Amino acid sequence: MRSCKKYLLLLGLLLLAVVGGCGGIGYEVTDENKPVPIKSPEGLPSNPKILIVYFSHTGNTQLAAWQVQAAVGGQLFELQTAEAYPDDAKACGARARQELKENIRPALASDLTDISQYDTIFIGYPIWYGRAPMAVQTFLTAHDFSGKVLVPFATSNKSGIEKSVQELQAVCPQADFTRGLALQDIGTGKMQRLISSWLEGVRGEVDVFNKKRAVQ
């Protein structure tokens, strides 16, 4: 009970602290910034081998990752760059644009040594200039995702997730990708309902991938 209260307190503090995004790319401001518990999608395995990897600069994607974990369980891992992005939006945007333009994959402050025990890996990130931050590619290129299912989700002001997912698929062709989800109403009941509905579809896609592997 104490850990549950601590989690809810941290969640509330994060909601109060979250501000606009990097390089002028923020999130949808709403009047209902209160988290609503998600009911786990029926049919998900009770002890899934799930990893939830996310990169978050302003806290939006972190909140989304927490909410995904609340629904499916699994291990959380936050991607952090060795050289932190500036808090100043203009400076952060300039660095993000340079990395995207020049295909710079920034070094990570830390990484996982082994992902072999995970079958399904969620990848969360903000949409920066229509794409995923290059730190995500740093992580993907450092590991072997053969036989893994990757589940992408993103936080965004207006952009969709399709372009970023296509790039990640090109970087990681050995993995199976489910459909992704772009979230705008951060921390709201609407966001929770979108996550829950999306996860129902993800479950079906994961089942199809697993059955296909079983007969190979």
Side-chain angles (χ1 to χ4, degrees), residues 3-18:
S3 62
C4 181
K5 289 181 178 179
K6 182 178 180 181
Y7 174 82
L8 291 175
L9 176 60
L10 289 171
L11 197 60
L13 290 174
L14 179 62
L15 283 168
L16 292 175
V18 168

Side-chain angles (χ1 to χ4, degrees), residues 14-94:
L14 179 62
L15 283 168
L16 292 175
V18 168
V19 293
C22 177
I25 302 177
Y27 67 102
E28 289 291 322
V29 179
T30 72
D31 294 326
E32 51 175 353
N33 280 342
K34 295 182 180 180
V36 178
I38 315 175
K39 180 181 178 181
S40 297
E42 295 182 3
L44 280 172
S46 58
N47 294 300
K49 295 181 179 180
I50 291 176
L51 174 66
I52 304 166
V53 178
Y54 68 93
F55 173 82
S56 186
H57 181 61
T58 64
N60 293 335
T61 307
Q62 181 179 60
L63 180 56
W66 285 358
Q67 293 171 337
V68 169
Q69 186 194 38
V72 302
Q75 178 68 41
L76 279 173
F77 181 73
E78 181 179 8
L79 297 177
Q80 295 181 317
T81 53
E83 180 185 353
Y85 287 90
D87 291 331
D88 178 75
K90 185 176 181 180
C92 177

Side-chain angles (χ1 to χ4, degrees), residues 28-191:
E28 289 291 322
V29 179
T30 72
D31 294 326
E32 51 175 353
N33 280 342
K34 295 182 180 180
V36 178
I38 315 175
K39 180 181 178 181
S40 297
E42 295 182 3
L44 280 172
S46 58
N47 294 300
K49 295 181 179 180
I50 291 176
L51 174 66
I52 304 166
V53 178
Y54 68 93
F55 173 82
S56 186
H57 181 61
T58 64
N60 293 335
T61 307
Q62 181 179 60
L63 180 56
W66 285 358
Q67 293 171 337
V68 169
Q69 186 194 38
V72 302
Q75 178 68 41
L76 279 173
F77 181 73
E78 181 179 8
L79 297 177
Q80 295 181 317
T81 53
E83 180 185 353
Y85 287 90
D87 291 331
D88 178 75
K90 185 176 181 180
C92 177
R95 175 176 163 184
R97 284 194 301 270
Q98 181 183 14
E99 290 177 347
L100 292 169
K101 181 179 180 180
E102 300 179 13
N103 197 34
I104 298 172
R105 295 172 180 170
L108 300 178
S110 62
D111 199 356
L112 295 169
T113 57
D114 182 22
I115 63 167
S116 62
Q117 68 268 38
Y118 302 108
D119 297 326
T120 303
I121 301 174
F122 287 77
I123 303 290
Y125 50 88
I127 298 292
W128 284 359
Y129 305 101
R131 300 167 63 185
M134 291 300 290
V136 175
Q137 291 198 22
T138 303
F139 173 76
L140 292 180
T141 55
H143 299 279
D144 180 10
F145 291 91
S146 301
K148 308 294 185 186
V149 178
L150 296 188
V151 186
F153 65 96
T155 53
S156 169
N157 186 28
K158 295 180 180 179
S159 300
I161 196 174
E162 293 79 10
K163 180 179 179 180
S164 66
V165 172
Q166 289 174 358
E167 289 189 335
L168 300 187
Q169 288 173 323
V171 171
C172 199
Q174 69 273 37
D176 291 312
F177 279 76
T178 71
R179 64 189 176 97
L181 176 68
L183 295 162
Q184 297 179 0
D185 298 285
I186 308 302
T188 68
K190 179 179 179 181
M191 178 183 177

